[in-house]
Amino acid sequence: MAATAACSLQMAAVKPCISSSHRGVKAGVAVVGGNSKGASWTKLSSASHISSGQPFLRSFTSSSVKFDKVVTRAMAESSTNKPISGLPIDLKGKRAFIAGVADDNGYGWAIAKSLAAAGAEILVGTWVPALNIFETSLRRGKFDESRVLPDGSLMEITKIYPLDAIYDKLEDVPEDVKSNKRYSGSSKWTVQECAESVKQDFGSIDILVHSLANGPEVSKPLLETSRNGSKKYIGRKSKFQGSKLSFTHVGGSSLSLTYIASERIIPGYGGGMSSAKAALESDTRVLAFEAGRKHRIRVNAISAGPLRSRAAKAIGFIDTMIEYSLANAPLQKELSADEVGNTAAFLASPLASAITGAVIYVDNGLNAMGVGVDRIELEYKLLVKSTTLNCVFSVSA
């Protein structure tokens, strides 16, 4: 393939480096009936790739995990005729709308960068109360370091649209919100109005990214979440995706961000967010069929691991979630936003032309775990208990 292909992405190899200080060892050997169970522990620890020693205790007070970040490299046009190495992701000529970008440290921003590195034109939708700060920071160059693409150029955002996806149309907006000073100076920010504005400005888009986060009652347990709060969050997740798909270009791609709380219990992940994520994943499958049959649009979701973003900090225990992932995921490294961005670029590209209705996990493999590694001590105790019972039954017989 000629080097004149506009842009492509390559994934750099990741070599996690796990410091020995990240693990703890509990001294002592369990003894049952005068026989050491050290051999049983050795067998269990070997099978689980745990460092040799006795039952294992994980400390969450500090983490010395080191890792090499995945780097997205965009290969720009070259004057030489040397063939491009690797498999290119080329989105030149495509237009992407990313909803839910209000700073430079979340998944939405990382996805925008990866799409831009692959050649796509970038439009973003920003929550109205955060719009002024975001635009000012962008204009004053506060995000310039974060805007740098692999080829050294800066990511350009063609246009920023005000957006509050809680409200489908203007008639749905309460008077107190309309008169709120945080919304003053902005207009056409409901889902329907935003969609119409983008359509008027550009006609259609090729890539839709749904990275909206947080509900109005995110810090509340589900038992204490009001019906209104839960409805707002679920409505924000599903209605936005369906409305925006209406003018996504035929053959385009839609992506959403979800989380493992849609299918597993994550205590503290409240406000109806887990229910909304489950609804979002269901909508992903249904819309994959409907939009696929009608417009040949592919609809997928990325289930991303925990990230220390502004939105995630509102949950209140994001650091604990990251520590838990570091301790228990098959790949012991902190997840970077770029890794989610690169996955989004792949799913939006022709390389993923047969993938739709899928939830892709980008979480270092944490979703695959049944029992956390930090519970290996529990497994060992159960093993010892089982062995003890077998001995008792054998003696009784």
Side-chain angles (χ1 to χ4, degrees), residues 36-235:
S36 169
K37 295 300 177 238
S40 298
W41 168 250
T42 301
K43 182 177 180 180
L44 178 62
S45 62
S46 176
S48 302
H49 295 280
I50 305 298
S51 57
S52 61
Q54 299 307 314
F56 161 96
L57 288 176
R58 177 72 62 176
S59 171
F60 293 102
T61 56
S62 63
S63 172
S64 57
V65 174
K66 300 177 181 178
F67 63 97
D68 298 323
K69 288 186 177 180
V70 170
V71 179
T72 305
R73 296 193 180 94
M75 293 185 289
E77 294 184 13
S78 172
S79 59
T80 68
N81 291 321
K82 293 181 180 179
I84 294 176
S85 60
L87 194 61
I89 294 180
D90 187 359
L91 297 176
K92 187 177 182 181
K94 304 296 183 181
R95 183 178 296 115
F97 183 94
I98 301 97
V101 179
D103 54 37
D104 64 341
N105 69 348
Y107 284 134
W109 178 273
I111 291 172
K113 279 188 66 177
S114 289
L115 295 177
E121 180 183 10
I122 304 300
L123 312 175
V124 303
T126 300
W127 187 45
V128 184
L131 181 64
N132 184 52
I133 295 176
F134 179 64
E135 289 184 319
T136 301
S137 297
L138 195 63
R139 186 171 57 252
R140 293 179 177 176
K142 292 185 177 181
F143 298 149
D144 281 359
E145 185 176 349
S146 299
R147 289 171 60 201
V148 177
L149 298 176
D151 65 356
S153 64
L154 297 182
M155 175 180 68
E156 296 294 338
I157 298 176
T158 302
K159 189 165 183 177
I160 302 170
Y161 291 87
L163 175 65
D164 191 330
I166 287 180
Y167 307 106
D168 198 31
K169 50 188 183 298
L170 187 60
E171 304 89 86
D172 299 333
V173 183
E175 287 301 323
D176 62 322
V177 174
K178 290 180 182 178
S179 60
N180 191 306
K181 64 179 182 180
R182 297 196 300 172
Y183 287 77
S184 62
S186 297
S187 61
K188 298 182 178 180
W189 42 260
T190 64
V191 172
Q192 186 180 76
E193 290 174 313
C194 182
E196 290 173 352
S197 295
V198 176
K199 188 174 183 178
Q200 182 177 352
D201 292 340
F202 298 97
S204 65
I205 58 176
D206 304 283
I207 302 165
L208 171 65
V209 179
H210 178 319
S211 63
L212 301 165
N214 279 350
E217 300 179 25
V218 61
S219 61
K220 292 184 179 180
L222 189 57
L223 279 173
E224 299 174 14
T225 301
S226 69
R227 183 170 181 269
N228 186 48
S230 182
K231 280 174 62 181
K232 280 184 177 180
Y233 193 66
I234 292 177

Side-chain angles (χ1 to χ4, degrees), residues 97-100 108 111 165 208-213 233-242 254-258 277 280 300:
F97 183 94
I98 301 97
I111 291 172
L208 171 65
V209 179
H210 178 319
S211 63
L212 301 165
Y233 193 66
I234 292 177
R236 174 192 291 184
K237 287 292 180 184
S238 57
K239 288 182 180 179
F240 174 81
Q241 192 175 30
S254 174
L255 298 169
S256 298
L257 289 179
T258 183
K277 295 294 187 183
L280 178 65
N300 294 296

Side-chain angles (χ1 to χ4, degrees), residues 30-37:
V31 179
V32 180
N35 294 322
S36 169
K37 295 300 177 238

Side-chain angles (χ1 to χ4, degrees), residues 252-255 284 288 296-301 343 346-360:
S253 172
S254 174
L255 298 169
T284 295
R296 298 199 308 279
I297 294 174
R298 296 182 296 108
V299 184
N300 294 296
T343 303
F346 162 71
L347 288 172
S349 78
L351 294 179
S353 59
I355 302 176
T356 192
V359 176
I360 307 297

